[in-house]
Amino acid sequence: MIRRGLGLVLVVLLIGCSEFDYASDRALREASVRSGTPASHVVESGDTLYQIAWAYGLDFRDVARWNDIDSPYVIYVGQRLSLRPGGPDRQARADGGGMSGSGGSRGGSTAIRSSAPSGPVAWQWPVEGQVVRRFNANALGKQGITIAAEPGTTVRAAGDGEVVYSGNGLRGYGNLVIVKHNERFLTAYGYNRTVLVSEGDRVSGGDAIARMGSAGNHPGELHFEVREQGSPVNPTDYLP
């Protein structure tokens, strides 16, 4: 009984720990890059590094490192980003299309300040409602939960952080907000009617960030995701 109790305490401490050994986990993540992930992505107007990494299920720091991009992660329209380990697309660089964050043609750029908190996340539900779609790790496409409530209900940040994406450029998410909580966790809030925050905004847990919209023919639904080190995890494992 004592051993089981100690084991549970250790699990809780590990989940709540603010420090994460990113370097030691790197090889495992790189080896698990899905075969269906394209080799590269050409930056379009409105793209951010966080958005691109989210769309392909990658850790934003890996994408930055593979392309020699430093904080604050400036990228440029027309830039070809490598989505695989091994560095930037050298041919694209030779052709002038693969500029890093520190140089290249500035035909439109976007950057996010790196000012997210480093401590553990004080998790809270983004909206009060019924979970009508549970997390399925084997599901194709988006992996999160769907919460039903009245259309127009205020959507709130699930913890302190920085808004790193606000827009409708990710197919299948509608009006989307992505919040970076620390170097380990990001959350996403999709299908919104109205977005109330902009990229670069600092938010506290409970702050209003959007108004609930609808998901297809189902009015009043919020799609909510948690990504840990770029990988989708079950939000209900963290929410109180």
Side-chain angles (χ1 to χ4, degrees):
M1 182 67 69
I2 294 176
R3 288 183 178 178
R4 290 185 62 187
L6 288 174
L8 288 173
V9 170
L10 286 173
V11 169
V12 170
L13 288 174
L14 287 172
I15 290 176
C17 183
S18 63
E19 298 296 329
F20 189 86
D21 191 349
Y22 168 72
S24 66
D25 190 52
R26 179 184 302 166
L28 181 62
R29 287 198 317 279
E30 291 184 350
S32 66
V33 172
R34 292 189 293 269
S35 60
T37 303
S40 62
H41 173 91
V42 177
V43 178
E44 299 179 357
S45 179
D47 281 355
T48 71
L49 186 75
Y50 293 94
Q51 170 204 357
I52 293 167
W54 187 281
Y56 294 110
L58 301 171
D59 188 295
F60 70 92
R61 290 167 302 175
D62 289 334
V63 178
R65 182 170 51 81
W66 297 338
N67 293 276
D68 297 331
I69 300 174
D70 297 323
S71 177
Y73 308 126
V74 180
I75 57 177
Y76 304 99
V77 174
Q79 180 179 359
R80 184 178 297 276
L81 298 178
S82 175
L83 302 179
R84 302 287 179 85
D89 185 296
R90 287 174 171 78
Q91 184 59 48
R93 280 187 152 191
D95 294 339
M99 290 75 71
S100 73
S102 60
S105 172
R106 282 155 173 76
S109 63
T110 180
I112 300 295
R113 297 189 306 272
S114 181
S115 60
S118 58
V121 182
W123 295 102
Q124 62 183 59
W125 284 82
V127 67
E128 293 185 7
Q130 180 181 0
V131 177
V132 295
R133 179 177 177 270
R134 298 187 179 279
F135 179 80
N136 180 358
N138 298 317
L140 298 176
K142 301 184 296 294
Q143 293 182 347
I145 61 175
T146 301
I147 307 171
E150 290 295 319
T153 297
T154 299
V155 177
R156 302 185 183 278
D160 297 355
E162 180 181 357
V163 178
V164 294
Y165 182 77
S166 176
N168 57 9
L170 266 70
R171 184 178 303 174
Y173 282 91
N175 292 319
L176 173 70
V177 175
I178 299 177
V179 175
K180 176 186 177 185
H181 299 286
N182 53 31
E183 291 302 306
R184 183 175 176 182
F185 289 105
L186 293 95
T187 52
Y189 314 74
Y191 307 153
N192 298 295
R193 173 189 295 173
T194 306
V195 171
L196 305 177
V197 290
S198 301
E199 291 168 11
D201 286 352
R202 297 280 296 111
V203 295
S204 298
D207 283 356
I209 59 174
R211 304 288 183 196
M212 281 185 63
S214 61
N217 296 323
H218 305 283
E221 291 190 353
L222 172 74
H223 176 75
F224 178 66
E225 290 188 36
V226 177
R227 297 276 179 99
E228 182 179 7
Q229 303 300 120
S231 298
V233 292
N234 189 346
T236 58
D237 288 344
Y238 300 91
L239 296 172

